[in-house]
Amino acid sequence: MTNWVEIDRLAKLWVKEAGSRIKASMQEGLSIETKSNPNDLVTNIDKETERFFIEKIQSTFSDHHILGEEGQGEEVTSLDGIVWIIDPIDGTMNFVHQKRNFAISIGIFENGVGKIGLIYDVIHDELYHAIKGEGAYMNDILLPPLKDVEIEKAIVGINPTWAIESPYFDAKPFARLVRDVRGTRTIGSAALELAYIASGRSDAYVTLRLAPWDYAAGCVLLDEVGAVYSNIHGERLTFLDKNSIVAGNRSICEKILHDYIKGSGNKK
């Protein structure tokens, strides 16, 4: 039988050690490259941090699989067995420009089911963590179940890009959502956006494009506080593919999906 408590203990140790290494590296010069576009950044620290986790996992759990953002793990094509889904630095642009508002994100899945979620806000030393069925925590604080919030009183995480007229997607429903809610925020880290929902700092998060390492850990946290999440068509997320995301408490997600997005013509 899998000892999830021991896996969780080791994962937390590695996350904290990686966080210390990242903070130490911030005193040095960064090697910065671009990936899919000029705003899609990767640094030597992203790559070094991912290698750090790969070495730890492979030397301790040789039968576990690793799906990492920087592609240094395996070519994972299924979630059979135990799979670690890792983003070594979620919010690399923030890491480069702001030196804050980034996180280490690790979701550990067994046969497609999220078992452990870890999101570590390195600069603020806030570790959001959960083992399936045992609640979600921020450091040592148990996070309570989410409460319903009216759309007019909600704080919603959404990138302004989605509310701007575009030839590639229908921005009107997102623009209307931005007008109707109490306020919007853009952190620049999907992992932190989801952690903030779990901790009650935000009420919902909407985005059109995320990769599994952006949302895997956060979804484990959300499960433990009674939140819901889906793509913008209300369909279940896959943890191997890119997805759109609507996440938050059940009532606000249902309203966003049915009153704003439904019939908009937007794709996954």
Side-chain angles (χ1 to χ4, degrees), residues 48-104:
E48 290 171 14
T49 303
E50 185 170 282
R51 283 198 298 271
F52 167 81
F53 283 116
I54 290 171
E55 290 169 4
K56 291 289 187 181
I57 296 163
Q58 289 180 337
S59 64
T60 310
F61 305 108
S62 60
D63 59 333
H64 291 195
H65 305 287
I66 304 165
L67 174 60
E69 178 178 14
E70 308 312 331
Q72 300 176 105
E74 306 168 47
E75 188 69 31
V76 176
T77 58
S78 84
L79 292 179
D80 293 344
I82 296 177
V83 181
W84 295 57
I85 305 178
I86 299 173
D87 193 337
I89 299 181
D90 184 63
T92 300
M93 187 182 295
N94 292 346
F95 173 62
V96 170
H97 289 278
Q98 300 178 328
K99 311 302 183 191
R100 64 189 66 242
N101 297 325
F102 62 89
I104 299 170

Side-chain angles (χ1 to χ4, degrees), residues 6 46 49-50 62 80 85 90 98 109-110 113 122 124 134 141 155 162 167 189 223 230 250 252:
E6 178 62 8
D46 293 75
T49 303
E50 185 170 282
S62 60
D80 293 344
I85 305 178
D90 184 63
Q98 300 178 328
F109 284 62
E110 183 181 43
V113 177
V122 174
H124 295 103
E134 298 187 14
I141 301 171
I155 299 294
W162 310 135
S189 163
D223 285 337
S230 70
R250 184 174 298 278
I252 198 167

Side-chain angles (χ1 to χ4, degrees), residues 203-265:
D203 299 301
Y205 178 50
V206 180
T207 186
L208 289 185
R209 187 173 60 249
L210 288 182
W213 41 80
D214 297 317
Y215 57 82
C219 288
V220 180
L221 293 170
L222 295 180
D223 285 337
E224 295 301 306
V225 295
V228 298
Y229 47 85
S230 70
N231 68 21
I232 63 170
H233 303 292
E235 300 163 344
R236 292 183 63 180
L237 299 182
T238 61
F239 291 90
L240 286 174
D241 306 303
K242 290 184 178 180
N243 279 283
S244 55
I245 298 277
V246 176
N249 70 66
R250 184 174 298 278
S251 65
I252 198 167
C253 284
E254 288 179 351
K255 189 168 184 65
I256 290 171
L257 288 169
H258 296 291
D259 293 0
Y260 291 86
I261 297 175
K262 186 176 182 181
S264 68

Side-chain angles (χ1 to χ4, degrees), residues 145-156:
L146 298 187
K147 297 179 180 178
D148 287 348
V149 177
E150 297 173 13
I151 197 84
E152 297 81 6
K153 297 179 180 179
I155 299 294
V156 175

Side-chain angles (χ1 to χ4, degrees), residues 70 117 129 174 191:
E70 308 312 331
H129 57 98
F174 304 108

